[in-house]
Structures are given as structure tokens and as C-alpha cells.
Amino acid sequence: MAVMTATDTSTPTAPTEEHPERGYISIMGIAVFQVEHWIDAGEHIFRSSEFDLIAADPDLKRAVDRFVENAEDLWSFIAGQDEPSENELELASLLGSRFQPILHELERREQEREHRLISISFARRRRQLRSWHPSSTTPSNSSQLSLA
């Protein structure tokens, strides 16, 4: 989920293109894009202050999501070109450096989720033990449960 955080709140009225709100869009708590935000004709507009990208939507959350999706599409487009220009390579490098921490965080969260899974094993024979254990290899100080 992407979130826009304002850094300039000196204007109590709605921000305009001439006097935009400045801040950044963060994903999973990681600041990713520096942007300007304003409202025009009922639409929330986000413009990168680092590269040429604008996204808009009447809903604030959807406008932020569109900005991130457009940045990801731009990154994919440049990466898919056979002979990108020097400027496009610089932009692809910038976008890659911004998305890389997000990809690492997603991977870390997935690994953490996998380690929290619980496996349940039921014996097929009547006298064998029934047990459960975390699938994590982390040792525990608690005693194991055993049934006779």
C-alpha cells in the first residue's frame, strides 16, 4: 500500500498547481518518490519532483496508487527496450533503486510468513504420537508435548 506524506503544510487551503503540497510517497513505510500534490477540478494530482511523471484521480488513495503503478510501468517499459537512450538508462536506474528496497521488504515478509506457518502431522497408526510444531527451525525453550 502506498501512502503520500506531506512535508509542507503551511497552507490551510487546498493545494494548487501554483502552490502544491510537497512530500513523498511511501510504500510499506519506505519513502520512495518525492512528489508535489495539488487538487484541480476535483482530482488529486501527483507530479514527481525528480522525473517526468504525473498521475491523477478523484480519490486520493487511487491517485497515489496510480502514481506508483505508472512509475512501475515506466520502469518496465524502459527495461524492455532494446536500445534505451542514456537518459532512459539513468531513469531506469533511479526507478530500480527506488523499487529495490520494496522488493527486498516483500521478500523478507514472505520468508517471515513462511517461517510462521504451523504444520500438523497426524500418525496413521493408533499408538503413534500426534504432534504439532512450528515449521521454523528456531529452538524453543518450552518443553515438547507428548501423549502416550
Side-chain angles (χ1 to χ4, degrees):
M1 167 190 279
V3 176
M4 195 293 194
T5 304
T7 57
D8 179 12
T9 57
S10 60
T11 311
T13 61
T16 63
E17 185 173 6
E18 294 77 30
H19 301 286
E21 192 175 38
R22 289 175 176 77
Y24 60 92
I25 291 177
S26 65
I27 303 171
M28 294 185 294
I30 300 169
V32 182
F33 300 111
Q34 293 177 14
V35 295
E36 296 178 333
H37 165 253
W38 68 90
I39 300 171
D40 187 20
E43 295 220 319
H44 292 273
I45 301 170
F46 288 93
R47 176 177 57 205
S48 172
S49 56
E50 302 170 286
F51 52 92
D52 189 22
L53 185 67
I54 293 178
D57 195 277
D59 181 77
L60 178 65
K61 182 189 176 316
R62 278 186 271 167
V64 170
D65 289 344
R66 279 192 179 176
F67 184 93
V68 173
E69 290 166 5
N70 290 349
E72 186 177 19
D73 289 345
L74 180 58
W75 184 33
S76 295
F77 172 76
I78 295 170
Q81 289 188 9
D82 290 334
E83 295 182 29
S85 69
E86 188 175 324
N87 289 341
E88 289 171 328
L89 286 173
E90 288 176 16
L91 180 55
S93 178
L94 174 69
L95 291 170
S97 72
R98 299 303 170 82
F99 281 115
Q100 197 63 34
I102 305 309
L103 296 173
H104 283 297
E105 179 63 15
L106 286 171
E107 184 177 311
R108 186 194 68 74
R109 287 182 183 192
E110 178 61 22
Q111 287 174 350
E112 185 179 278
R113 186 189 68 78
E114 287 175 2
H115 286 286
R116 287 193 312 242
L117 294 177
I118 296 175
S119 65
I120 300 175
S121 160
F122 293 100
R124 292 181 184 229
R125 293 190 191 151
R126 193 170 195 222
R127 296 222 169 222
Q128 288 183 340
L129 297 177
R130 294 182 182 182
S131 64
W132 68 269
H133 56 87
S135 61
S136 165
T137 59
T138 306
S140 173
N141 292 335
S142 63
S143 61
Q144 290 186 344
L145 175 66
S146 74
L147 301 174

